[in-house]
Amino acid sequence: MNGSGDGAARRPVTLDDVARAAGVSQPTASRVLNGSSRRVAPSYRERVLTAARELGYTPNLPAQAMARGTSRTIALVISLISDPYFSAMAAEIMKQAEAIGLHVSIAVTERLAERELDLVRELRGQQPRAIILAGTGYVEPPSEQALIDELQRYEETGGRVVLISRSDLPFETVDFDNHEGSRQLARELATLGYRNCLVLGSATPLLSMQQRVEGFVAGLAESGVTNTRVHQPGFSWVGAREYVLGLPDAEARELDLVFAVTDDMALGALAGLRERGLRVPEDVGVAGFDDISTLRDVVPRLTTVHVALNAVAQEAVYRATTTDTDLVRRTVPAYPVVRDSTPRVTTSRRR
Amino acid sequence: MNGSGDGAARRPVTLDDVARAAGVSQPTASRVLNGSSRRVAPSYRERVLTAARELGYTPNLPAQAMARGTSRTIALVISLISDPYFSAMAAEIMKQAEAIGLHVSIAVTERLAERELDLVRELRGQQPRAIILAGTGYVEPPSEQALIDELQRYEETGGRVVLISRSDLPFETVDFDNHEGSRQLARELATLGYRNCLVLGSATPLLSMQQRVEGFVAGLAESGVTNTRVHQPGFSWVGAREYVLGLPDAEARELDLVFAVTDDMALGALAGLRERGLRVPEDVGVAGFDDISTLRDVVPRLTTVHVALNAVAQEAVYRATTTDTDLVRRTVPAYPVVRDSTPRVTTSRRR
DNA sequence: TTGTATGCGTTATCAA
DNA sequence: TTGATAACGCATACAA
């Protein structure tokens, strides 16, 4: 349709081009194509629509954002996108946001606490309507106050801040019930006969992970199991595996259960146990936390704590877009799912 | 620091504010904070920097983009972010892009071919420097021409288009060597003694999946195995599992290998085989394609074809940012990785 | 080297 | 209802 030669970069089609082609003023074209109070004469309306279609007009979003003073973007900060937990979270948030016509801009901290502040700053520059911080939350973060300042400054200019899984900051928060989830799990496992448990927390001081550890220990204690060992290997598959491999033989032999604060770590522990010649679940049970769906093919199927990611995402996006100003900390339930990796302990068990 | 009351939305800090606070003109502030030819007197420079820091200035990216006529954003279109393959791809692309100071904006088609066109249109509005389309590519897409038109229009205005895994369109393309990868795999498996193979392709007509099927069949044929059956179940874990479950008993019993065009499907097949009471790999071998890293915990470890995602991402980002105008179709190697799911076939094998 | 004036594409305000 | 005109925040050409 566009007869001009290829190659040389041409100017994008603007609202002005459309208006001229339709023989109307530029504001009129704007009203037809993007405006809300659409009181435009049908004949004009038709001409504008036709011109826009023929020219292949696309609104310049940055320009719109600038003129309107607000964008249709939500900024999402996550730790790692290749982590199934976070990619699932991101997917849910994108779905929820798109459902209400919002675009999600993702930034990744690569698990570096310092990067978080830089990212927030950079994201602010995009003038998003809201910033959602998911899944970092260190117990004693290096630049906590600077981050708070930055976020508060953002809020002061009309932006909304929503935190997921880090209820330690003075902003809207959505969280799972980490403590209760692993407490319930611990009680169920105790009922199944587990008595010698190793809990793998996280060397990286993450608040939610700490809660999971505490909840699990508490649950066991309520069930009369008090000899639980807690260790904090590196916060990863590799960290958990290496920790398990480094366990003294005597200690490893005593174990009948390893609970790790994430499914990822639980699988690392599982790999380590097997490398040591221990059978799972025959010799040792393994349990995790998160209920990552892509793990359905792991054998044995992993006992874990399920968190309703979609509920979290929905709540987070809702909080990010509502105009309520009361600071809410909503907790989404988490509940244990016992599967093959933790069968009932029988007397025939090794120890 | 900012004494003013909380609550009421305030205006964000602009370059103008900084300039005023520093007692310089706005362009000078611009030159110090964002400009390239930084010929600003040290004293002024210092004052601007200080003012910016104290006020918490963040450049308004949309405004910058508009003034400069170009943004620092790359738009990425993928099928599904919760799919480990795509999330790994997205992670790599983000990493490569961030390394050169570019931001990545992600949009998801949810595997709907029609959505692709809408998304491209919407993304264009964000005025990205480049659009990368990853991992769709239907054999006979519904609105192919409209998509091509849209992308070409985008290119005409100076944008760059890079395709990943769909070398059927007239744009820069980065692809794995699907055909060669599965051909090599087939040859290795034939060497291991596999003779009765079921190939699971994709009911959704995806070009790269077709190539994987053809390569595998060709590799077997070269090795003298010509009785290969090819079927096209739904393109998912569920599809593969259901297909395997629906297989006639006689046919299932004959099998010694199932090759699926993705790891995801291979695992679905594996689940289905086990549900039928077949042992993997003792009775039937299973192989996939993609070498998804989060599958390291699957037992038996899956034989597959490895693709160098980071190489693909690097090449894609490079192509997206270079100013070369020659249409390049770069192919990244893919090579078989034989693991536990396809051991050498012994005479003690069931059939 | 610094400042003035202008333009980027859009929306919002206000007359007409 | 429609159209001139003024913002929005920033970068650049040009003048000082």
Side-chain angles (χ1 to χ4, degrees), chain A residues 314-331:
Chain A
Q314 187 168 2
E315 182 69 16
V317 171
Y318 173 71
R319 292 277 155 220
T321 51
T322 184
T323 50
D324 282 8
T325 53
D326 46 327
L327 213 67
V328 175
R329 306 200 162 186
R330 166 108 188 253
T331 298

Side-chain angles (χ1 to χ4, degrees), chain B residues 194 255-257 273-274 277-286 299-300 340-351:
Chain B
Y194 291 94
L255 250 40
D256 60 14
L257 177 74
L273 289 169
R274 282 188 173 146
L278 291 168
R279 292 170 307 163
V280 177
E282 293 84 354
D283 300 332
V284 187
V286 171
V299 177
D340 308 339
S341 69
T342 57
R344 176 171 296 282
V345 177
T346 61
T347 47
S348 72
R349 206 166 178 102
R350 186 167 50 120
R351 49 164 310 283

Side-chain angles (χ1 to χ4, degrees), chain A residues 22 24 32-33 40-53:
Chain A
V24 301
V32 171
L33 294 171
V40 174
S43 62
Y44 279 28
R45 189 178 165 68
E46 205 51 51
R47 270 155 57 191
V48 170
L49 255 20
T50 307
R53 199 175 327 114

Side-chain angles (χ1 to χ4, degrees), chain B residues 158-236:
Chain B
R160 302 207 32 108
V161 176
V162 178
L163 270 30
I164 295 180
S165 279
R166 48 187 301 178
S167 43
D168 54 330
L169 261 43
F171 301 98
E172 295 255 13
T173 298
V174 183
D175 208 346
F176 328 115
D177 202 338
N178 288 302
H179 191 279
E180 186 60 14
S182 50
R183 177 174 155 270
Q184 297 286 3
L185 175 63
R187 291 169 63 106
E188 287 210 27
L189 292 176
T191 306
L192 289 174
Y194 291 94
R195 291 290 175 272
N196 291 280
C197 307
L198 170 63
V199 172
L200 297 182
S202 155
T204 317
L206 298 162
L207 196 62
S208 43
M209 300 309 150
Q210 209 171 64
Q211 293 167 345
R212 293 177 186 185
V213 168
E214 290 166 4
F216 197 83
V217 171
L220 286 179
E222 290 168 23
S223 312
V225 181
T226 54
N227 64 334
T228 308
R229 277 149 307 197
V230 175
H231 288 287
Q232 321 274 1
F235 185 54
S236 66

Side-chain angles (χ1 to χ4, degrees), chain B residues 200 233-234 236-247 265 268-269 271-273 275-276:
Chain B
L200 297 182
S236 66
W237 190 92
V238 172
R241 171 176 164 276
E242 285 180 354
Y243 183 81
V244 166
L245 286 177
L247 229 43
M265 288 182 70
L273 289 169
E275 285 175 60
R276 297 188 67 126

